[in-house]
Amino acid sequence: MRRTLITVACLGVLAATAACGSTVPQLPTDHDGPVGQQPPASSAQPEAVTADPPLAFDTSKGVTLPKTALQANMGGSVTSKFMTLRDRTGYIIAPESLSAVDVLTGGEKWNTKIEGPAADPNAHKGPFVEQSGPRPPLVTDKLAVGAVPLRMPEQGTTPGYLALAVIAVNPETGAKVWQTNTKIADDQYGISGTRSVTHVVAVTDKAVVASFAQSEGNLTVGLDPATGKQLWERKDYDAGSLNGDVVVGVDSNVAENSSMVQATALDVATGQQKWVAAAKSSAVEILQGDPAMVVLKANEYSSGHAFLKFLDPATGAEKFSAEGTRNLGPDSYGDCLYDEQSVLACTDSGVLTAYDAKAGTKLWSLPDQAANRVPPGGLTVAWHGALYGYTNGKQPIVLDAKTGKDLSTSVGFVPDWVSKYAAAGVDKEGSPKAYPVKK
């Protein structure tokens, strides 16, 4: 049986992140000109409307975003995300660069080049679902960090190789702090025709953790956040979440059976192994959630049954488990979204269930026949107590993440990213667009 390895990169949101320091343009004051003289009204930019969480967006003021922000199919649905939205700044990872754009104006704030030839230059192109490519960068107050594969050419008699490039920049200015290239394979064309994913899982004061994952093998590195110097390396391991001082990932180095995978926790600073869970699984996927709880989906190797599991990050002990209702492969449990506060919402076989992200307990579920309510046709993003998606009639809707009640049916459009300033997604033509908050 071929081993299946799936690790979510954070759509949108990943562990150990914090809001960037971008600011709203300030209105001029009397001190900007002669005393007693007000500047012309045209020179004053109105203050942006904010809401936390927002319930509606102004679709009359759409701003075009770079095409590298996302990948959409011919039906206009987002298939891959390459942007992280923090306040009013979108941070975009491309095969050749890491950039930032003001989503309220569309103006590029900075664009920092990644040194070295891209190994997957077409990762952002094409109308079909494509799992390969970099995942959205991870942004904190101190660093914006992205990861891409590089194809390092031969130098005379020195052969070329495939590398995992991790770039760290100042999130305000884009000034490069460091770039570290880690050799992945001797074959510089080693990712041709295979699914390859690069992503950053943790940015802390102790370490930056990034991974390269593909069907033929995985590699995770821990790097010094100040210099980029390698602190540790783990092969056959794809990091998935940061939970306090441990990083949890999919480990394919299982002595018992080469077709099995497991969840393994490592010390974020040293890479030392702490515990193992879901040891008899044919597939494991680590989900983004509250640091107080490790959340994963696992398929039992013997039965193929899919489970959603909540684990203690200190020991790996199981706190709560829910069995999936279908068995259709490695992702058979369903899809889950974390609202970055307290709720994990999962859709499995038409049933939407919300869990307390800190305790792993069930909060509510839809459908609710007694209340004559059905689940949304789909969810696209969760943020600060709100679930955004669309009804079965394809109309935008917002649900209260803690109760499941309808919060808004006049949203304006279906977002794939949300902040207190704006939301972003695709327009009717499938192009990246951002819309300011209306209320």
Side-chain angles (χ1 to χ4, degrees), residues 204-206 232 241-248 265-272 274 291 313-314:
T204 75
D205 290 337
K206 294 182 178 181
W232 55 268
S241 71
L242 177 70
N243 299 80
D245 288 332
V246 300
V247 60
V248 184
L266 308 178
D267 183 280
V268 69
T270 66
Q272 180 182 0
K274 293 297 185 180

Side-chain angles (χ1 to χ4, degrees), residues 5-61:
L5 300 177
I6 301 176
T7 301
V8 170
C10 130
L11 282 200
V13 183
L14 302 169
T17 61
C20 69
S22 55
T23 58
V24 179
Q26 298 297 307
L27 296 174
T29 67
D30 289 346
H31 301 292
D32 293 326
V35 176
Q37 178 180 337
Q38 293 288 342
S42 60
S43 68
Q45 187 173 357
E47 186 174 352
V49 176
T50 62
D52 188 1
L55 300 181
F57 306 98
D58 192 342
T59 56
S60 68
K61 299 179 180 179

Side-chain angles (χ1 to χ4, degrees), residues 352 364 366 373 376 385-387 397-401 404-407:
L352 173 60
W364 54 266
L366 291 174
R373 299 185 67 229
L387 306 177
I397 192 170
V398 182
L399 302 184
D400 186 303
K405 303 298 184 182
D406 294 357
L407 281 181

Side-chain angles (χ1 to χ4, degrees), residues 119-136:
D120 194 7
N122 297 315
H124 291 63
K125 301 176 182 178
F128 305 106
V129 177
E130 174 56 67
Q131 295 298 324
S132 296
R135 294 301 182 253

Side-chain angles (χ1 to χ4, degrees), residues 382-394:
W383 194 73
H384 287 201
L387 306 177
Y388 300 82
Y390 50 88
T391 66
N392 290 317
K394 303 300 181 182

